[in-house]
Amino acid sequence: MRGVFVTGTDTGVGKTQVAAGLAWLLKKRGVDVAATKPFATGEKFHSKKFKSQDTAILAEAADATEPDDELNPVFFKVPASPLMAAQMLGKSPPDVHGALFPLKKLCIMHQFVIVEGIGGLMVPLTEREFVADFARLTALPVLIVAHPRLGTLNHTLLTVRVCREFGLDIKGIIVNMMPKKPSAVERRAPEMIQRLAGVPVLAVIPEMKKPDYKAVGRLFEKTDIADRLLS
Ligand SMILES: Nc1ncnc2c1ncn2[C@@H]1O[C@H](COP(=O)(O)OP(=O)(O)OP(=O)(O)O)[C@@H](O)[C@H]1O
Ligand SMILES: [Mg+2]
């Protein structure tokens, strides 16, 4: 499979913005790209067409023709990890290997596939399987989205350790939501993350008044992310 698995140090760090920004940029460069969210959960359905808002954003960025069920095969209507959401609904936890089939199809149909995880790597999918297990099944390299705030060194280094423990290849780290006027701690975070993790920080995305994946994509255009992902 050719593509990238976008994970984060936490929920809400900007995985969707980064994944959609990458999809937009690769499409602009003429790459036939698909963007998918295999596991999603949420309080309510986003729209008639897409159960999850993330899938809707990814589908728009990649100009997808596939239906929601193929782009997001697993959805639980409780905003929690898939395991907990399933249990709260009295349902079985997701079939982790089963969720791989639509992804394989996307890989056959497209040149490059961007996969957004759910939450972080140790989010449970079943009693025995975590997002990191699914990432390993995809065999895709990982991109880690982190924030620059206090606590990020701990979260990012933990995420990098888990990648190594699960044998995941790390392409790089994106630091998202850098404030316009960062504190001394926030300003130093990307360099320290890179040094201590031994993984390159490929981009630092500023905090935006109106977050927009196209703006993220334009920012990525000024970096070598696309070349690194396509190499
Ligand atoms: N650079 C940014 N500046 C300002 N707001 C941002 C930025 N990046 C993301 N956001 C906003 O932060 C929120 C979380 O971003 P996003 O949905 O991309 O995170 P996520 O990691 O995909 O979250 P989830 O775990 O729910 O999938 C969204 O409302 C998004 O619009
Ligand atoms: Mg998301």
Side-chain angles (χ1 to χ4, degrees):
M1 291 203 235
R2 191 147 184 248
V4 68
F5 191 97
V6 180
T7 190
T9 55
D10 199 356
T11 183
V13 286
K15 294 182 297 294
T16 305
Q17 289 298 312
V18 165
L22 277 174
W24 178 86
L25 173 59
L26 293 181
K27 263 192 73 70
K28 192 164 175 246
R29 286 183 54 158
V31 179
D32 175 5
V33 62
T36 167
K37 173 102 179 174
F39 303 93
T41 62
E43 213 164 355
K44 53 184 173 51
F45 288 163
H46 167 67
S47 65
K48 273 190 182 163
K49 206 169 166 197
F50 295 106
K51 294 183 287 300
S52 118
Q53 186 183 32
D54 284 9
T55 318
I57 294 171
L58 296 174
E60 182 188 293
D63 214 357
T65 53
E66 289 85 2
D68 190 38
D69 283 353
E70 287 181 22
L71 298 174
N72 170 220
V74 178
F75 183 90
F76 293 111
K77 219 171 164 185
V78 172
S81 63
L83 173 64
M84 193 181 283
Q87 288 181 347
M88 287 170 75
L89 292 166
K91 295 184 175 177
S92 308
D95 173 2
V96 174
H97 283 81
L100 210 58
F101 288 113
L103 182 55
K104 283 186 174 162
K105 194 175 158 196
L106 289 174
C107 288
I108 292 166
M109 302 301 287
H110 300 272
Q111 286 174 289
F112 195 91
V113 177
I114 299 167
V115 183
E116 180 183 342
I118 177 165
L121 287 173
M122 291 305 288
V123 164
L125 300 173
T126 71
E127 292 284 346
R128 290 157 178 263
E129 294 154 299
F130 301 93
V131 168
D133 290 293
F134 183 75
R136 184 164 50 185
L137 286 176
T138 69
L140 293 173
V142 170
L143 196 58
I144 300 167
V145 185
H147 63 76
R149 295 185 300 277
L150 193 62
T152 193
L153 295 180
N154 177 46
H155 293 151
T156 312
L157 295 175
L158 284 170
T159 301
V160 167
R161 278 214 170 195
V162 168
C163 285
R164 295 194 172 130
E165 192 174 310
F166 279 77
L168 307 175
D169 173 31
I170 312 170
K171 275 279 176 185
I173 297 167
I174 309 272
V175 178
N176 184 31
M177 300 195 225
M178 181 65 83
K180 247 193 179 150
K181 290 182 183 167
S183 68
V185 169
E186 289 163 335
R187 197 171 45 244
R188 286 161 192 250
E191 189 276 325
M192 192 167 272
I193 284 173
Q194 175 162 289
R195 186 154 46 83
L196 298 186
V199 174
V201 169
L202 303 179
V204 177
I205 305 172
E207 200 163 38
M208 297 169 190
K209 275 203 183 114
K210 268 194 172 180
D212 166 19
Y213 66 79
K214 289 180 194 165
V216 173
R218 280 192 286 273
L219 194 135
F220 285 159
E221 247 177 336
K222 295 178 193 149
T223 73
D224 62 353
I225 285 186
D227 296 325
R228 281 179 186 251
L229 292 182
L230 294 170
S231 69

